[in-house]
Amino acid sequence: MKKDTKNISRRKFITLTGGAAGFVAMGGFGMNMDWAINNQEIDAETLENNTISTDVLVVGSGMAGLFAAVKAHDAGANVLMVSKGRLGSSGQTPFAKGIFAYNKDKEKLSIDEFVAKVSRSALGTNNKAYTRQLAENSLARVNELKDWGFFESSLYNKSFSKPIEERNIPVQERVTITHLIKEDNRVVGAAGFSIDEQKVLFYEAKSVILCTGAGGFKPNGFPIGDLTHDGTVMAYNIGAKVTGKEWNDGHPARSENPAACYDGWGDMFEQKPSTTSIEIRHDLGVDMNYMAYVNGGAAQMGPPGRGNQNNTVSGGPYRPEEFSSQGAPGGGPPQDGEERQGPPPGDRERKRPPRKDGKGAPPGMGGNVVGGSTAGMSIHKAEGLVPINDKCESTIPGLYAAGDALGSYMAGGIYTQIGSSLSGSAVQGAIAGETAANYSKTVKNKNVSASKLKSIQEDILAPLKREAGYSPAWVTQTLQSIMIPNFVLYIKKENLMKAALAYIEELRDHHVPHLRASNLHELRLAHETKNMVISAEMKLRASLMRTESRCSHYRLDYPEMDNENWQAWINIFKGEDGKMKLEKQPFNTWATTSENKEIEQIS
C-alpha cells in the first residue's frame, strides 16, 4: 500500500529526509511548500555582464571612502568609487556629528601625552602608531572638510559631492560588492551587482580600498542596518587576516526616532557637525549590561550613561574595591579631567548642545535609552582588516582598508575620544588613498580567466536560481535571537558561547547554503545574511579564545585582566583547509605571516 506523503508535516519530513534534500523531495511528493518556494521575479540568466577597469577601486562612500577617492586621484591614479548606498548618506557617516581635531596651538596636551593617555584608558589595546596618526593629521582633514562646506549642513551629500565632482571621480551607487578577486597572491579586482540596472559587474583594479564600515546583526535603533561586515568577510574569504571581533560596541538609542540626533539632555534636534577637542574617556561598553544582568531589566544596556561615575579603567564592570587590582597597563582610578561629565541637574530647558568642549552625552546617548542597538558591532576602528604597517595596507598585496573597515586599534577596545571615529576615518582614508595610488603605479591590470569569472557569477546569483530555500529575513531573525541577548554578546560565559556557536554553525552549514532571493533586493539581503553569520562565528570564537576581561570584552567566568597571557590582539584567518583559525598578535607589533606566532584553531 502506497503511503500518503501529502499529509506528512514539514517538521517530520525534514527530520526524515534532512534539510538539504528535503526541499527537492517535497516537490516530488507534491507537498505544499509555499513557505519555502522561491517565487522568482527576475530571471537570473537575463542579467547583463559588465567589466570596468580602473587603477584604484574604492568600495564605500562614507568619510573614509571620500578621502580615499580624493587622495588617490590627487596622487595621479584613475579612481572609481562604488557604494552600496548614496555618497555621504549611508552607513554610520551621516549619524556622526562630532569630529576630532588636534590643534597643537590650543591643546594643553602634547601628542605624546595624548597617545599615552589613550593607551592608559584603552588598557594597552590601542595601536599607538594609529593613535598618533590621528592626532597628527586630524586638523588638516577637518580644514579640508571646512573648505567643502561640511560644517554648513546636517546632510553630507552636498559637501561630499563637491570634491568628487571637481575631480570628475566616477561614482556608482546602489551597487553591492560581494567578492574580491585575487590572482598571483594579490588583489586584482572585485565583483558584485547593481540593484537598479540588473547587471552583474566585474571590476579590474590594480588596488582596492575597502571603506565598507563595520557592521552588526541588523539590530533595531542604531543606523547600522546596511552595514553587515561585507568588506571584512570578502577579504577573509581570499585569505586576509581580520581582527577585533571580541570587542563590543555598546551604543544605546531610543525606540522612537532611533536614528535622530539628541543633545546631552535628551532633546531631539537637527544637528550640524562640529569639532571636538581632547577629552579622554573610559566608556567600557559593558557596565550597564552587567547591571542589567545582575539586577534585571533590559533598558539602558549600552555604555555608561551621562553623569555615571562608574567609568573606571578596570578590566570589566565597575568594582570600586578593585580600582588598583588590575595591574599595568591601566590600573588605578581615573585621574583629573578623565571622568565623563553630564549636564547639571534641572538644566533640561536648554534645547541645543550646551557646550563645544565635548561635555555631556554625545548624540543619541542622552536621556532614557534602550541598549543593544549596535549588537554585532565592535568598537570603532578596533575590528576589520589587520594592517601590516601604518599605511592601511592589509596582509593581501594591493588590498587596503580605512575607517571602520580597518582593524587599526586607533583607540583600542574602548571608547576613548569623542569625535575620533569620524576624524580617524578621514585620516585613514587619505593615507590609504595615497598609498594605494602609489602602489598602482608599480603593477598592471591582470586579466582573470573566464572560468573564474563564471564561477564568481554563479556564486553571486545562486540565491536567485534556487527553486526553494530559506528567506534572508528568517535566517537573520534566527541569528539575532542567538546573538543579541546580552548574556551571550556582552556578559560572556564559555558554556553559553559554545551553545550559541553550535547554532551559528548550523546556520552556516545548513541554512546559508539554501538562502533564496526572488529579486535583486533580496539578493543583497542574502549576501548580507551570509556575512553576518560568518561575523557571528568570528565574534564567538574570538570571545572564547580571550580568557580574560579587558575593556569592552567581559567574561563572567574570567572577570580579571590577564596581562601575563593577553597583552595581545586576536587575528582571524582562513586556513588552507578552509577552516577558521585564530592567532595572537602581541600589542603594538605588525602582522606579517603566521610564523612564530601562537596559533589556535577552534573547531
Side-chain angles (χ1 to χ4, degrees), residues 379-564:
I379 298 296
H380 288 301
K381 310 296 182 291
E383 70 177 329
L385 274 63
V386 173
I388 62 171
N389 52 31
D390 61 354
K391 301 298 183 182
C392 304
E393 184 177 354
S394 79
T395 54
I396 303 293
L399 180 61
Y400 302 83
D404 283 352
L406 180 68
S408 65
Y409 287 106
M410 183 189 76
I414 188 176
Y415 286 114
T416 54
Q417 173 61 56
I418 289 295
S420 63
S421 179
L422 199 58
S423 184
S425 292
V427 168
Q428 292 175 10
I431 290 171
E434 183 176 355
T435 307
N438 291 334
Y439 170 85
S440 297
K441 297 172 184 177
T442 67
V443 297
K444 296 181 179 180
N445 278 331
K446 184 174 179 62
N447 293 326
V448 181
S449 68
S451 60
K452 187 166 188 174
L453 294 179
K454 182 179 179 181
S455 176
I456 292 173
Q457 180 168 331
E458 287 294 319
D459 194 41
I460 292 173
L461 301 179
L464 281 176
K465 297 182 177 182
R466 293 192 179 108
E467 295 183 1
Y470 299 100
S471 71
W474 184 86
V475 177
T476 295
Q477 289 167 5
T478 304
L479 171 70
Q480 290 170 336
S481 68
I482 297 167
M483 293 299 300
I484 288 182
N486 80 323
F487 53 83
V488 171
L489 188 60
Y490 297 98
I491 309 301
K492 305 173 186 178
K493 293 187 289 187
E494 181 177 357
N495 61 339
L496 288 177
M497 287 192 290
K498 284 186 173 181
L501 181 59
Y503 278 102
I504 294 301
E505 290 174 334
E506 179 72 13
L507 293 182
R508 180 197 67 193
D509 296 338
H510 300 292
H511 294 80
V512 167
H514 300 290
L515 285 168
R516 57 174 166 84
S518 62
N519 53 49
L520 293 177
H521 174 67
E522 286 191 350
L523 182 62
R524 166 184 162 171
L525 295 179
H527 286 284
E528 290 179 338
T529 300
K530 180 179 180 180
N531 293 340
M532 287 189 289
V533 170
I534 295 173
S535 182
E537 181 184 357
M538 290 178 174
K539 287 194 78 67
L540 289 169
R541 293 192 186 280
S543 296
L544 282 164
M545 184 176 179
R546 185 176 288 279
T547 52
E548 67 156 359
S549 291
R550 187 184 295 265
C551 294
S552 57
H553 166 77
Y554 179 66
R555 290 281 299 264
L556 195 64
D557 46 358
Y558 294 95
E560 305 297 333
M561 279 205 307
D562 181 358
N563 284 320
E564 181 178 351

Side-chain angles (χ1 to χ4, degrees), residues 34-269:
D34 289 344
W35 61 277
I37 287 176
N38 189 10
N39 298 308
Q40 288 105 330
E41 302 171 13
I42 293 176
D43 183 357
E45 302 298 336
T46 65
L47 269 67
E48 299 180 24
N49 279 347
N50 284 74
T51 300
I52 304 164
S53 296
T54 188
D55 293 337
V56 178
L57 178 67
V58 177
V59 185
S61 62
M63 184 64 78
L66 170 69
F67 276 95
V70 167
K71 297 303 180 181
H73 172 276
D74 292 353
N78 291 321
V79 181
L80 172 63
M81 175 185 283
V82 178
S83 176
K84 191 163 68 170
R86 187 183 184 215
L87 178 64
S89 301
S90 57
Q92 294 185 84
T93 291
F95 179 79
K97 300 301 179 183
I99 183 165
F100 171 71
Y102 177 85
N103 188 333
K104 65 180 182 180
D105 296 328
K106 296 182 179 180
E107 298 290 358
K108 295 180 180 179
L109 293 181
S110 68
I111 289 182
D112 287 343
E113 291 170 328
F114 171 74
V115 173
K117 276 186 171 286
V118 169
S119 298
R120 177 182 180 276
S121 186
L123 305 179
T125 58
N126 66 311
N127 185 322
K128 295 178 181 178
Y130 279 96
T131 307
R132 178 176 298 276
Q133 187 183 91
L134 166 72
E136 290 177 339
N137 295 278
S138 57
L139 184 59
R141 302 290 80 81
V142 165
N143 286 337
E144 287 177 302
L145 287 168
K146 189 178 298 182
D147 291 340
W148 300 335
F150 175 74
F151 296 98
E152 297 171 8
S153 172
S154 61
L155 303 177
Y156 298 162
N157 178 262
K158 184 176 180 180
S159 61
F160 277 35
S161 297
K162 186 175 187 295
I164 295 293
E165 292 174 353
E166 288 175 347
R167 293 163 173 79
N168 293 317
I169 298 173
V171 179
Q172 295 183 355
E173 298 177 332
R174 290 176 58 80
V175 170
T176 299
I177 300 296
T178 59
H179 292 68
L180 293 173
I181 305 174
K182 186 175 74 169
E183 291 283 352
D184 298 333
N185 199 39
R186 71 177 179 92
V187 165
V188 296
F193 60 95
S194 168
I195 293 178
D196 296 326
E197 298 181 350
Q198 297 191 16
K199 293 180 180 179
V200 176
L201 300 168
F202 293 100
Y203 298 92
E204 296 176 349
K206 298 176 182 178
S207 63
V208 176
I209 307 175
L210 295 177
C211 302
T212 47
F217 302 134
K218 293 184 181 287
N220 293 326
F222 199 80
I224 60 170
D226 60 344
L227 294 180
T228 50
H229 303 285
D230 301 342
T232 296
V233 176
M234 285 189 289
Y236 167 79
N237 285 334
I238 64 168
K241 293 182 180 181
V242 302
T243 191
K245 289 297 181 176
E246 71 270 35
W247 314 112
N248 293 290
D249 180 276
H251 271 81
R254 293 171 176 267
S255 56
E256 183 179 354
N257 302 317
C261 292
Y262 296 86
D263 64 18
W265 292 271
D267 297 306
M268 185 175 69
F269 64 98

